[in-house]
Amino acid sequence: MDFNRLAELLFPHITQSPEDYEREFPQRNLPEGAKVTRIGPSPTGFVHLGNLYNAIIGERLAHQSGGRFFLRVEDTDAKREVPGAVELVLSAMAYFGISFDEGATVDGDNGNYGPYRQRQRKDIYQCFAKELVRRGLAYPCFCSEERLTQMRETQIAGKDNFGYYGKWAVCRDLSYEEIEKRIAAGEEYVLRFRSSGDIENTVELFDGIRGTLKLQENYQDFVLLKSDGIPTYHFAHVVDDHLMRTTHVVRGEEWLSTAPMHAQLFDTLGWQRPVFCHTPVLMKMDGDTKRKLSKRKDPELGLNYYREAGYVPEAVWEYLMTVLNSNFEEWRLENPDADLNEFAFTLEKMSNSGALFDMMKFDSVSQETLLRIPACEIYDKMAAWLREYDPDFYRLFTADRAFSERIIDVGRTGDRPRKDLTNWKQARQFLSFYFDESFVPESPYPENVSMDDRKEILTRYLNSYDHADDNSAWFQKVREIAESLNYALKPKDYKKNPDLYKGSITDVSNVIRVAVVGRTNSPDLWEINHIIGEAAMRRRIEKAMA
Ligand code: GLU
């Protein structure tokens, strides 16, 4: 077969040569050891935690080494694309503080290695496809979907391996004349790779996270170009990561099984393989079992979830770092105030089995992270969130900046700061009692305090209340009320002798707390009185007694 002739028949419009592209996209001029990484999101309208997780790894690897980090839109699957999806990815990445050195942007491309949207690279892929045809390493395949399905059924029945290979690869050796005739007749075809792999062979593949792996060699004549001339992921990834000079391909573990196909293509084209870094799948505990995070069941898999709940990006980074690198938490303990970018992230410290995403742990990391942010910044961030998600509370919260900064800071100082704030949605709920307009009693009064006692406690409290009292004088009065009504001053005394008392001091303070704050869990009551003011405090108690 004259493969040159076949290449011209299939790709008459391709005039560029591989060398032209090699020249157009030269090796990058970067310092020794600099890594070039990327993310390749598909514009499906759903940006998931895995996108951010891989982006953080890529960003750290590149920027810690003086390399480059870019964004490539993998839009070869037009059926899955939804309008506005690229903007969605870009805005999610921007929100989480991921900075790209180059790649697709809202207004087009930024950088010298583009285009950065795969559908705009059709001619580039076809140039290399033509080269493979010319070398006898790719061929057109006219098998219809029905035919392939039929073939699969026969393979199942005969317990054969699935796929297009060996005797099943019926289009492998069609003559030039037959191909020409079928194309002239308007038959559709895909372009397949002619694999020289053997089902019995294994290949070595170096993975930056998993080390050297021995995997089954690819023996399938997989599809390079679909019938519309658009490449499959496999072909597009290899061509792009070669021409964009990617050194480390950070991608999800789901690509590990097809990595031998990619390695074979790199080798066949005479290109250096990048270091593959297959990141572990994100898992969660579901009862006693660990399972993959699922788009259908777990809202926390979508990046939007964090934005809508108002988690600060810093908290998400901080938590993902603890999932990513086993030594991160220890580093954080030693460097409580350091910028996260000072941590030396390494692939070696990554686990290669599933990464466990634990929402409770994440919330606690988020609380710690917020403790490190000064009240004035919390105010700005929370106000920005409220403006978008809760305009009514935004009005209350921003009416008096100094007041709001004060309520943010209640209980946050000292050796054992309270961790009341987790995200803006929860913080809005938590802080709502400070404002008369949003104050709603939430917790019930303690059960063991009778209605009469409740009134009595509140009456005595109001009668003895002096706004000038300091915290301990104030508390002394609460103790006196408790004692005079026969509530134990030490909760443990009441526990030991429940028949001797009506309850304990905790019940008495909780009565006051529920009246003033609306709930039993709150920061220091004396401090709250001094923030909302005596008048508001009295009003709430009187209302509670009415
Ligand atoms: N488009 C692929 C995905 O969304 C990207 C894989 C890669 O990074 O190579 O999974």
Side-chain angles (χ1 to χ4, degrees):
M1 155 92 85
D2 181 346
F3 292 122
N4 273 322
R5 208 169 144 220
L6 180 61
E8 285 311 321
L9 174 72
L10 300 181
F11 301 102
H13 56 288
I14 296 295
T15 50
Q16 299 266 82
S17 71
E19 293 71 38
D20 293 333
Y21 288 118
E22 294 292 340
R23 257 194 308 277
E24 190 177 342
F25 305 111
Q27 289 294 343
R28 289 169 184 268
N29 191 6
L30 292 171
E32 178 82 22
K35 300 182 170 77
V36 180
T37 59
R38 86 292 187 278
I39 57 165
S42 300
T44 58
F46 182 71
V47 193
H48 56 86
L49 196 58
N51 292 120
L52 181 64
Y53 178 77
N54 287 337
I56 289 180
I57 302 172
E59 193 277 343
R60 288 291 75 214
L61 291 181
H63 292 157
Q64 272 179 186
S65 64
R68 303 281 287 176
F69 176 53
F70 65 90
L71 180 133
R72 177 172 71 225
V73 174
E74 305 215 324
D75 56 1
T76 54
D77 191 352
K79 284 197 294 295
R80 290 176 66 212
E81 186 162 345
V82 297
V86 174
E87 288 73 14
L88 206 70
V89 171
L90 293 170
S91 105
M93 291 298 149
Y95 177 78
F96 285 101
I98 301 283
S99 60
F100 297 102
D101 304 301
E102 59 191 70
T105 72
V106 181
D107 329 305
D109 282 344
N110 166 35
N112 298 328
Y113 288 80
Y116 295 92
R117 291 171 209 245
Q118 289 183 326
R119 280 224 294 281
Q120 294 174 11
R121 302 173 61 79
K122 195 169 168 182
D123 281 0
I124 303 182
Y125 305 121
Q126 295 196 354
C127 163
F128 290 94
K130 184 173 186 177
E131 174 67 11
L132 286 172
V133 173
R134 201 179 277 132
R135 287 169 53 197
L137 294 169
Y139 63 88
C141 163
F142 297 89
C143 291
S144 63
E145 279 304 322
E146 296 79 60
R147 188 177 173 132
L148 294 175
T149 312
Q150 221 175 42
M151 189 173 100
R152 198 178 163 89
E153 276 158 16
T154 321
Q155 286 169 337
I156 293 176
K159 295 198 165 53
D160 263 313
N161 289 305
F162 296 147
Y164 209 86
Y165 63 96
K167 67 172 184 198
W168 305 99
V170 288
C171 292
R172 224 177 197 229
D173 295 310
L174 298 179
S175 66
Y176 179 87
E177 287 68 31
E178 169 146 23
I179 294 171
E180 191 180 35
K181 201 172 79 208
R182 292 174 80 162
I183 292 177
E187 262 191 69
E188 284 209 332
Y189 66 93
V190 299
L191 192 79
R192 286 187 185 271
F193 180 57
R194 187 190 300 273
S195 174
S196 54
D198 187 323
I199 193 165
E200 305 293 340
N201 284 350
T202 52
V203 281
E204 283 202 347
L205 193 98
F206 179 69
D207 185 289
I209 299 169
R210 292 149 204 269
T212 301
L213 304 172
K214 273 198 175 19
L215 300 172
Q216 184 179 47
E217 188 178 36
N218 170 61
Y219 60 94
Q220 299 272 347
D221 284 3
F222 59 88
V223 176
L224 300 171
L225 298 180
K226 296 177 272 188
S227 57
D228 55 3
I230 297 287
T232 53
Y233 166 78
H234 312 299
F235 190 47
H237 141 60
V238 171
V239 171
D240 289 348
D241 283 319
H242 170 68
L243 290 182
M244 295 178 179
R245 311 295 172 184
T246 307
T247 64
H248 290 65
V249 169
V250 178
R251 63 183 179 190
E253 183 178 310
E254 65 274 20
W255 296 108
L256 190 57
S257 62
T258 44
M261 290 161 48
H262 312 141
Q264 198 172 48
L265 267 181
F266 275 105
D267 297 351
T268 305
L269 286 157
W271 297 340
Q272 190 182 349
R273 295 184 198 170
V275 177
F276 293 103
C277 305
H278 291 101
T279 59
V281 212
L282 288 168
M283 318 271 282
K284 77 182 277 186
M285 290 308 289
D286 191 349
D288 291 338
T289 48
K290 230 188 197 184
R291 65 163 173 79
K292 257 189 185 171
L293 277 175
S294 118
K295 188 169 158 184
R296 203 166 43 80
K297 294 192 213 152
D298 308 308
E300 71 266 34
L301 187 60
L303 269 194
N304 238 359
Y305 174 83
Y306 303 91
R307 202 165 163 173
E308 281 166 9
Y311 282 99
V312 290
E314 295 89 320
V316 182
W317 269 78
E318 188 85 11
Y319 179 60
L320 286 181
M321 267 303 171
T322 68
V323 175
L324 282 170
N325 259 194
S326 51
N327 54 332
F328 178 77
E329 277 180 275
E330 198 183 317
W331 175 85
R332 179 49 89 197
L333 280 176
E334 284 161 15
N335 304 276
D337 299 316
D339 186 306
L340 186 135
N341 287 346
E342 287 168 31
F343 172 72
F345 171 80
T346 54
L347 289 172
E348 290 73 26
K349 291 273 191 241
M350 273 187 75
S351 123
N352 57 20
S353 56
L356 195 61
F357 193 81
D358 175 347
M359 220 42 206
M360 300 251 282
K361 177 91 192 282
F362 170 55
D363 276 348
S364 111
V365 167
S366 186
Q367 289 159 3
E368 296 281 349
T369 309
L370 291 182
L371 278 182
R372 284 196 290 275
I373 305 181
C376 59
E377 275 179 43
I378 299 243
Y379 174 89
D380 288 333
K381 291 175 197 284
M382 183 161 165
W385 183 88
L386 287 170
R387 183 146 77 176
E388 192 173 345
Y389 293 97
D390 193 340
D392 287 342
F393 196 72
Y394 171 77
R395 248 187 329 99
L396 299 179
F397 186 74
T398 54
D400 180 349
R401 181 176 183 128
F403 177 82
S404 290
E405 284 189 16
R406 237 177 117 196
I407 66 175
I408 289 166
D409 256 347
V410 175
R412 294 209 322 151
T413 46
D415 289 347
R416 292 183 51 222
R418 291 180 59 91
K419 294 172 192 162
D420 288 325
L421 311 184
T422 311
N423 59 50
W424 307 141
K425 195 171 180 174
Q426 170 276 341
R428 179 254 177 264
Q429 235 5 71
F430 185 80
L431 299 175
S432 60
F433 71 84
Y434 285 106
F435 304 88
D436 278 344
E437 294 89 329
S438 56
F439 167 68
V440 212
E442 288 168 10
S443 307
Y445 285 93
E447 273 177 13
N448 51 319
V449 180
S450 69
M451 196 66 150
D452 286 347
D453 268 10
R454 188 202 298 175
K455 279 210 167 138
E456 197 54 35
I457 291 169
L458 294 176
T459 311
R460 291 188 191 199
Y461 178 74
L462 279 189
N463 290 342
S464 64
Y465 186 83
D466 180 348
H467 205 58
D469 284 343
D470 65 9
N471 205 329
S472 65
W474 169 85
F475 190 56
Q476 185 50 36
K477 288 181 176 168
V478 178
R479 286 167 60 96
E480 279 159 20
I481 299 172
E483 202 164 21
S484 63
L485 292 172
N486 196 28
Y487 286 80
L489 291 184
K490 291 189 181 127
K492 70 170 192 284
D493 289 345
Y494 170 54
K495 249 200 188 134
K496 250 192 276 166
N497 294 303
D499 299 336
L500 286 184
Y501 303 97
K502 290 192 242 169
S504 79
I505 179 96
T506 313
D507 299 313
V508 174
S509 354
N510 276 343
V511 168
I512 306 169
R513 216 177 268 279
V514 171
V516 179
V517 185
R519 51 184 100 132
T520 45
N521 171 27
S522 84
D524 186 76
L525 204 45
W526 179 88
E527 208 172 338
I528 292 172
N529 290 340
H530 285 264
I531 290 180
I532 63 174
E534 182 171 1
M537 186 275 289
R538 286 188 178 274
R539 252 196 329 269
R540 288 186 188 185
I541 293 191
E542 263 144 27
K543 206 164 167 198
M545 287 196 298

